[in-house]
Every structure is written in C-alpha cells, then in structure tokens.
Amino acid sequence: EAGVTQSPTHLIKTRGQQATLRCSPISGHTSVYWYQQALGLGLQFLLWYDEGEERNRGNFPPRFSGRQFPNYSSELNVNALELEDSALYLCASSRTGIEWTLHFGNGTRLTVT
Amino acid sequence: DQQVKQNSPSLSVQEGRISILNCDYTNSMFDYFLWYKKYPAEGPTFLISISSIKDKNEDGRFTVFLNKSAKHLSLHIVPSQPGDSAVYFCAASPRRVDSNYQLIWGAGTKLIIKP
C-alpha cells in the first residue's frame, strides 16, 4: 500500500509570492489534514478536509487556504508569503470519521527568503 | 495556552535501559491519546495509543501509562535500542472524531540512545 505522498519535497520562494503544496492520501482514506511544523515547535494544525469539504481550520490567517479534489488529493496554498511561513508542512490522511490515527507524508520544506 | 506539554526537549538513555517520555495535558475533555515517532526528513509515524477507559496499553517494547487524575501520560520503551533515537510527539483529543475537535500536539521530546 502506497503511503501519503507530498510534493514538492523542497520549495524556495521569496516574500510576497504564493506557494502551492500537494498531497495524495493513502488509497481509501478520505480525510486529509495539513500541519505546519516550524523549527523547534510541535505540529500546528492548519486545515482538515473530508469528502471535499473543509471540516475544521486552525488559528492561521486566511492567506492559508486549500482544497480537496474528488480523488481526495489535496492542495495547500499560501498567499503573500512571509518569512515566518518558513517551515515543514506535513500532510496526513485517515479514514473518515473513524479514527484519529493519522498517516503522515514526509512533508514539504518551504523556505521563504 | 499549551494544552499538551512535553517538558523535556531532549532525553539521553543508554542502550538496553528503559526510556521514559512524559506528557502532561490540561484539557479534561481529552480522552484519547497517541504517541508518534519522527525521524529526520520523514513524517511522524504512529506508535501507540490509549483511551481514558484504560490506564495502560502495551505493544511489544512500548507501553503507555495514563494517570487521569494527574492529567499525565508516559511512554516507556524497554529495552531501548539505537533505532529508537527519534523525536517523540504526544497528541490528545476527545475520543469522538468530530469536526469540532482536532488533535492537539506536544512540542516533542528528542530521544537519543547512546551505544
């Protein structure tokens, strides 16, 4: 069974630009979660998508947005990038409404210069 | 307000000995707890979980203990092996998977197993 895949692995952007990060969940998983892990910090919850709908959102500004496609893959968009957006962005998937056991991808390292 | 706290940023343990990682929580609504392990350049992987109806759960070398009255849980690894060197995250939530809730994560403890 293929795991959660994220692309790109690394992304370098300049301040003010937009970044798009992609995630493909494990086959059969309909829930996708996005987390931000800044250096030295724990995982901060960004967004939860399930069955194409946004179910919950963390305490992040509206310039963090995303969507889930009919095949359950997901995209995270970060507009008007700021230096403090530099972090590891992790995507996770799970079976809908059944379990909190999340399966993570290896992340996208976003660097904003 | 940190609802899940892992107060030790790092822990060093001799190979073969017991590793004990601690986690404290403040929200009395939390009744489901998970431990994840993370290697550098990889995503976290699920290790073990416990619900509040239990006070102990074992899986091989890993045991999680829950003390509800103290709002404290701990992960014991016996015996510790070099491959256990990683960052360990504690996470908590109400048991029901619901859009009103989310997993709340600790900041992690870096475990170093010395040969």
Side-chain angles (χ1 to χ4, degrees):
Chain A
E1 172 186 84
V4 176
T5 57
Q6 291 186 246
S7 63
T9 307
H10 293 88
L11 189 57
I12 299 174
K13 293 283 187 179
T14 56
R15 195 167 46 184
Q17 284 188 317
Q18 182 203 34
T20 298
L21 289 65
R22 297 181 175 83
C23 172
S24 292
I26 290 172
S27 177
H29 287 190
T30 60
S31 275
V32 170
Y33 301 79
W34 286 97
Y35 286 88
Q36 182 196 67
Q37 187 186 16
L39 197 62
L41 297 179
L43 279 66
Q44 303 298 313
F45 170 70
L46 269 163
L47 291 158
W48 172 15
Y49 291 98
D50 181 54
E51 300 282 357
E53 303 275 336
E54 183 180 298
R55 298 293 183 192
N56 201 345
R57 184 183 178 85
N59 293 327
F60 281 84
R63 57 191 187 81
F64 286 84
S65 65
R67 54 181 171 164
Q68 187 178 34
F69 299 100
N71 66 354
Y72 305 116
S73 67
S74 177
E75 207 172 75
L76 173 69
N77 295 294
V78 189
N79 293 321
L81 284 165
E82 300 178 3
L83 295 178
E84 54 264 34
D85 296 333
S86 295
L88 179 68
Y89 289 84
L90 290 161
C91 171
S93 72
S94 75
R95 296 180 296 164
T96 300
I98 295 173
E99 56 183 17
W100 281 120
T101 306
L102 306 185
H103 302 263
F104 284 86
N106 288 335
T108 293
R109 172 71 62 187
L110 173 64
T111 302
V112 182
T113 61
Chain B
D1 174 33
Q2 276 188 288
Q3 298 184 66
V4 177
K5 297 179 187 177
Q6 294 178 256
N7 291 320
S8 300
S10 67
L11 176 67
S12 187
V13 174
Q14 203 71 37
E15 181 180 355
R17 298 288 187 97
I18 183 171
S19 295
I20 300 175
L21 296 100
N22 295 304
C23 179
D24 296 295
Y25 62 97
T26 57
N27 191 331
S28 55
M29 282 187 66
F30 292 159
D31 56 8
Y32 189 63
F33 306 88
L34 305 93
W35 284 94
Y36 279 77
K37 178 169 77 172
K38 185 181 185 298
Y39 293 120
E42 293 184 14
T45 54
F46 171 73
L47 204 52
I48 193 168
S49 63
I50 189 167
S51 70
S52 59
I53 59 173
K54 293 182 157 185
D55 53 19
K56 178 182 171 182
N57 189 26
E58 284 181 85
D59 184 1
R61 297 185 298 114
F62 302 91
T63 303
V64 57
F65 294 92
L66 176 62
N67 183 332
K68 291 183 285 292
S69 60
K71 293 192 176 67
H72 176 83
L73 61 155
S74 60
L75 175 68
H76 293 212
I77 307 173
V78 184
S80 300
Q81 298 175 353
D84 296 330
S85 294
V87 176
Y88 289 78
F89 291 99
C90 168
S93 177
R95 183 69 175 98
R96 194 170 98 237
V97 179
D98 185 285
S99 59
N100 291 314
Y101 307 131
Q102 53 172 293
L103 276 178
I104 305 298
W105 296 75
T109 296
K110 183 175 183 179
L111 177 64
I112 301 162
I113 305 301
K114 299 180 291 186

